[in-house]
Amino acid sequence: MWEERAERARRDIAALATGGTDPAGLYASALAVVQRTVPFEQGCWAAVDPDSLVMTSITNWKPWPVGVREYEEYSARFAEAEYTGNEPNNFAELLRRPRPIARMSDAPHRDVVRSVRVNDLLKPQGLEHELRAAFRVDDACWGVGSIFRDGGHDFTDREVEFLDAVTATLAAATRIAVRARPASPGPM
């Protein structure tokens, strides 16, 4: 049953890529596809430059429940924690793994209690559980993402396997969406 759901999700995500959408549109629709099988309260996915791993566009499942100024501060703190901190399961770390996916609950407790991302950014929003993945295909990362749940149930092993089963398709779809963008005009 889970493999059938993953196969259906891969087909749906691949079909989204053929529609000529940009990464933000792709991720908004793909998050809805994933949400049908793996329920979550919040999600944040980003296309990344495969050479630098710098995020080039960010898509939230729903707007973060903070004001504009707070959101800008939140985004800056998240980026600082992701790129310069010692956060558990950071995306660069995930890319070094054979399976670029991880639940926060699988990280060592000593790392979780020191995590800025978990303790300063997620918990104040009521989010306790995180499942994150890097979207990799042909040895290149084209996107990254996290989905979050409140203090109820953590993500199950089956849900981790499901998201893992669609990450390569997400990567391929992102690559298509990025390459389909119209070229920006040069200096005039």
Side-chain angles (χ1 to χ4, degrees):
M1 175 174 79
W2 282 91
E3 182 53 40
E4 291 170 8
R5 290 179 184 180
E7 181 56 37
R8 187 173 337 117
R10 286 190 294 264
R11 281 194 310 268
D12 291 349
I13 292 165
L16 293 169
T18 63
T21 186
D22 64 357
L26 168 69
Y27 286 162
S29 297
L31 278 158
V33 169
V34 170
Q35 224 271 348
R36 289 192 306 242
T37 301
V38 182
F40 55 88
E41 280 70 50
Q42 185 74 42
C44 183
W45 288 2
V48 300
D49 174 80
D51 295 321
S52 67
L53 299 183
V54 170
M55 295 177 186
T56 58
S57 74
I58 297 172
T59 303
N60 292 307
W61 168 249
K62 60 183 180 182
W64 288 93
V66 295
V68 173
R69 196 176 110 238
E70 292 87 0
Y71 180 75
E72 290 171 359
E73 179 183 323
Y74 174 91
S75 298
R77 291 194 67 208
F78 172 83
E80 181 179 4
E82 184 66 36
Y83 290 111
T84 65
N86 292 320
E87 290 294 308
N89 300 330
N90 66 59
F91 293 123
E93 178 186 318
L94 290 183
L95 283 168
R96 292 190 293 271
R97 298 178 183 178
R99 289 180 58 208
I101 188 165
R103 257 184 311 231
M104 182 56 74
S105 58
D106 293 332
H109 178 72
R110 68 183 177 278
D111 296 341
V112 176
V113 297
R114 291 189 302 233
S115 170
V116 170
R117 186 173 78 246
V118 171
N119 298 298
D120 296 353
L121 302 175
L122 298 177
K123 283 188 178 181
Q125 304 303 322
L127 302 169
E128 299 277 334
H129 305 289
E130 178 187 47
L131 176 60
R132 56 183 11 219
F135 310 152
R136 180 175 63 197
V137 67
D138 299 331
D139 293 323
C141 179
W142 289 89
V144 294
S146 296
I147 54 177
F148 310 99
R149 284 188 177 154
D150 62 21
H153 299 289
D154 196 359
F155 295 96
T156 67
D157 290 345
R158 287 281 196 186
E159 291 169 329
V160 174
E161 291 169 12
F162 173 86
L163 187 58
D164 185 43
V166 301
T167 58
T169 304
L170 285 164
T174 305
R175 178 174 55 192
I176 291 168
V178 166
R179 291 180 174 170
R181 286 186 195 169
S184 59
M188 300 210 166

